Amino acid sequence: MKIFIIEDEYAIRMELGQLLLKYGYECESSENFQNIGNEALNSGADLILLDINLPYQDGFQVCRDIRKQSNVPIIILSSRNTDFDELMGLNIGADDYISKPYNAQVLLARIQKILSRTYEVQSNAVLLHKGLTLNLLKATISYSGQEKELSKNELGILRILMVNKGNIIPRDAIIDELWQSEEFIDENTLNVNIVRLRKKLAEIGLPDYLITKRGMGYFV
Amino acid sequence: MKFADYFLDRIFSVICFITAALLICGLLWLIEIPKIFIIFTITVLFMSFAISFLWDFQRRRGYYNQILNLLTQLDEKTLLSEIVMRPNFLDGQIISDILCQSNKYQNDKIAEIQQQNREYRDFLDTWVHEIKTPITSARLIAENEKNPVTLRIDDELRKIEHFVDLVLYYARSSDVEKDFKIEKTTVKELVSMALKNYSKAIIRAGGRIKMEQLDIPICADRKSCAFIIGQIISNAIKYRQDDFTLSFFTQIEKNGISLFIEDNGIGIDAADLPRVFTKGFTGNNGRQFSKSTGIGLYLCKRLCDKMNMEISISSSLGRGTTLTLYFPAESLLQEAGL
């Protein structure tokens, strides 16, 4: 899946690209803002992330131009967070509107939702590290031919560790990641899930995959 | 203008007239003029004085009553001199000219300050949007390179975000034209939105969250309500005790819904309680915890007033605090034109 980023701020463009790359998306962007709409269309992207404050023309105009030629999903990412901007964005054909500063997990979730709705199948939602394959859509892990299903929380834990492979992730950051709106996760829930995840990893032949760094957190 | 007041004001000329009339009377009597002539002369004198006196009283009263009426009807009192007619008596003309000049000066000053205020607010608005770009990039950088150090920086970035929000909502709360986007939502959604913003801080504090009966559909401005609940949560975290618990529950009222947010923190002194919604008030707790600004609850109150909601507080010292948000029923919101 290819995502085209229309954003004039260099730092955001780069970091957003890296983030999406980590989660298995292909990324492209351009600095030719005079003709950015066509650039985005010609890249053959499956989804476009669009900023509003752009040089030469604003994002609304770009959005209109793209809509004239294509139905590719567009998500507007803007720091202009008045209700008027949001309404305007949605009225001229954007599929979603997220205001800055956004939570990266929310952004990823929305991208995934729109992509799966538009294209039905998603090919590359897979993370690979040290021989272990994590399928984000099917919520399974596989290693040397063996496969195990994961619960939602186990998947969340393993995903944050594998995306940040090699880095120690503190416990509170994992709890925070798991805590997506519905249910409050406490320390005990995390402990239980870590034990279960370890057990499942051991069952497919990776007993020491998830490593505890005492007093700091976990890493893979 | 009352006749008695006017009379007292002119008492000097009245006394002069009476003295003069008595003197003339005496003089005519001394030179033995017949009584009938004396009475006639006095009557003529008195009549002419009374007529001029009443005429003057009448035109003044007419003019000043008109001004007073206008003044009570007028919303912008400083525009009075623009619409009032110029009087036809001298001292009134002088005062009216002075009033004209001073009002004009006042109006110019007001316009100037309003202009400055607008420019300042526009700048603030732009600034808030500008600052969000670097915050976004910094948070993305942290997201891309998660490790204990960047995660700590991310925590600080969240705090910056909250302070920026404070500026945004402060500007919004004093902006008369700012309208709110009322949409259908549930109490649970508002609470969850607010909780997510403070998730890290709650996890750090080892907090426990209890939610009961929150699946209630309401109409509200989601962002502003989440901001208000967030401020309350942030206070609960700030003034917590051991075994920090935060409970959310609702109660159906006659014409709306009350959301209770209850903590088991240090509580608020009864003497401080009536003033917690006052701007800049930090009270006893504020003196013990240096981070109090006295702006959070003030803003909540302002926003609630604007959105036709109510906020109230109860607390017992050392045991905890309960904030109550009252959402009027759907129909009430529509009536208020929100």
Side-chain angles (χ1 to χ4, degrees), chain A residues 50-216:
Chain A
L50 177 63
D51 187 25
I52 296 296
N53 293 323
L54 295 172
Y56 296 108
Q57 50 189 342
D58 71 2
F60 296 129
Q61 190 54 42
V62 176
C63 185
R64 270 190 219 105
D65 289 348
I66 295 173
R67 270 290 166 270
K68 271 180 207 155
Q69 300 172 50
S70 152
N71 270 328
V72 61
I74 299 173
I75 300 180
I76 292 179
L77 305 175
S78 173
S79 56
R80 299 225 295 231
N81 65 349
T82 62
D83 299 330
F84 174 76
D85 288 314
E86 189 169 338
L87 275 178
M88 174 100 169
L90 295 175
N91 276 341
I92 57 173
D95 295 81
D96 208 341
Y97 187 101
I98 303 175
S99 57
K100 286 178 192 168
Y102 37 76
N103 178 314
Q105 291 309 320
V106 173
L107 175 64
L108 285 166
R110 300 234 183 141
I111 290 175
Q112 203 164 29
K113 197 178 96 194
I114 287 179
L115 280 178
S116 60
R117 200 169 58 205
T118 318
Y119 302 104
E120 281 173 8
V121 281
Q122 204 166 6
S123 50
N124 50 358
V126 163
L127 297 176
L128 252 172
H129 176 58
K130 284 192 192 159
L132 179 78
T133 312
L134 173 66
N135 189 318
L136 294 174
L137 276 188
K138 291 195 300 187
T140 55
I141 43 171
S142 50
Y143 178 69
S144 58
Q146 286 168 295
E147 200 175 90
K148 274 267 170 213
E149 282 190 8
L150 297 181
S151 74
K152 197 179 118 231
N153 283 343
E154 291 159 359
L155 173 75
I157 296 170
L158 201 55
R159 188 181 64 184
I160 184 175
L161 292 174
M162 284 178 82
V163 164
N164 301 286
K165 48 198 167 202
N167 289 348
I168 300 165
I169 305 298
R171 290 172 57 87
D172 56 3
I174 299 178
I175 297 176
D176 189 43
E177 169 107 356
L178 296 181
W179 186 6
Q180 298 294 343
S181 74
E182 313 92 38
E183 231 174 288
F184 178 58
I185 311 283
D186 58 15
E187 294 264 329
N188 291 332
T189 320
L190 178 65
N191 288 339
V192 170
N193 277 290
I194 292 274
V195 171
R196 280 203 205 123
L197 184 60
R198 280 227 169 92
K199 200 169 151 226
K200 283 183 183 170
L201 285 166
E203 279 168 13
I204 57 167
L206 291 166
D208 297 318
Y209 192 78
L210 204 165
I211 301 156
T212 309
K213 201 84 178 169
R214 199 156 280 282
M216 293 178 78

Side-chain angles (χ1 to χ4, degrees), chain A residues 9 12 15 18-19 22 79 81 83 100-101 104-105 160 164 167-168 170 172-173 175-177 179 184, chain B residues 129 132-133 136-137 140-141 143-148 151 158 161 181 192 196 199 203-204 207 223:
Chain A
E9 186 72 28
I12 293 189
E15 294 300 330
Q18 255 191 51
L19 176 78
K22 272 192 178 178
S79 56
N81 65 349
D83 299 330
K100 286 178 192 168
Q105 291 309 320
I160 184 175
N164 301 286
N167 289 348
I168 300 165
D172 56 3
I175 297 176
D176 189 43
E177 169 107 356
W179 186 6
F184 178 58
Chain B
H129 293 150
K132 281 187 177 172
T133 307
T136 308
S137 12
L140 277 174
I141 293 169
E143 180 72 35
N144 276 336
E145 191 55 52
K146 268 191 187 153
N147 62 47
L151 282 167
R158 281 201 202 195
E161 246 182 85
K181 193 171 94 183
S192 302
K196 187 62 199 156
S199 56
I203 295 165
R204 279 275 161 73
K223 283 181 201 159

Side-chain angles (χ1 to χ4, degrees), chain B residues 15-231:
Chain B
I15 288 170
C16 283
F17 167 76
I18 290 170
T19 323
L22 285 175
L23 283 176
I24 288 169
C25 243
L27 185 74
L28 290 177
W29 179 70
L30 276 180
I31 53 172
E32 292 176 357
I33 301 277
K35 256 188 194 150
I36 184 82
F37 288 111
I38 299 179
I39 291 168
F40 179 75
T41 316
I42 289 300
T43 315
V44 168
L45 274 178
F46 182 77
M47 288 293 279
S48 62
F49 181 79
I51 286 169
S52 83
F53 191 84
L54 284 175
W55 177 72
D56 197 51
F57 169 68
Q58 196 56 40
R59 66 173 181 171
R60 269 160 216 269
R61 192 181 64 168
Y63 179 72
Y64 287 120
N65 280 356
Q66 182 206 0
I67 292 193
L68 284 171
N69 267 340
L70 276 174
L71 191 66
T72 43
Q73 284 168 19
L74 213 59
D75 286 333
E76 296 289 334
K77 312 280 188 207
T78 54
L79 291 175
L80 180 69
S81 66
E82 302 284 329
I83 50 169
V84 84
M85 282 203 306
R86 206 173 135 87
N88 51 5
F89 49 92
L90 182 66
D91 48 350
Q93 285 170 352
I94 295 169
I95 289 289
S96 149
D97 289 346
I98 293 171
L99 192 71
C100 256
Q101 279 188 31
S102 100
N103 268 1
K104 189 171 175 343
Y105 175 78
Q106 253 177 5
N107 287 333
D108 287 352
K109 273 279 171 226
I110 290 172
E112 194 185 312
I113 287 164
Q114 273 175 344
Q115 172 70 18
Q116 273 174 12
N117 200 351
R118 199 173 309 124
E119 276 171 17
Y120 181 68
R121 204 170 281 170
D122 285 350
F123 167 72
L124 213 62
D125 223 42
T126 323
W127 181 86
V128 165
H129 293 150
E130 297 271 337
I131 196 78
K132 281 187 177 172
T133 307
I135 296 175
T136 308
S137 12
R139 286 204 66 184
L140 277 174
I141 293 169
E143 180 72 35
N144 276 336
E145 191 55 52
K146 268 191 187 153
N147 62 47
V149 177
T150 54
L151 282 167
R152 253 169 35 217
I153 296 175
D154 192 57
D155 290 347
E156 299 302 312
L157 286 169
R158 281 201 202 195
K159 285 185 200 160
I160 297 178
E161 246 182 85
H162 291 148
F163 285 126
V164 170
D165 269 351
L166 214 56
V167 174
L168 193 70
Y169 282 97
Y170 185 79
R172 194 175 270 206
S173 77
S174 58
D175 205 340
V176 262
E177 300 127 43
K178 190 78 210 176
D179 42 4
F180 293 91
K181 193 171 94 183
I182 306 293
E183 48 195 340
K184 280 209 163 173
T185 176
T186 62
V187 178
K188 187 168 190 174
E189 192 187 350
L190 299 177
V191 171
S192 302
M193 269 169 85
L195 277 173
K196 187 62 199 156
N197 276 333
Y198 290 91
S199 56
K200 238 355 194 339
I202 296 170
I203 295 165
R204 279 275 161 73
R208 281 191 305 144
I209 306 292
K210 282 190 202 158
M211 293 199 240
E212 272 170 53
Q213 304 165 321
L214 295 187
D215 275 318
I216 294 172
I218 51 162
C219 279
D221 181 294
R222 279 167 43 204
K223 283 181 201 159
S224 305
C225 287
F227 171 81
I228 292 169
I229 299 171
Q231 286 301 311

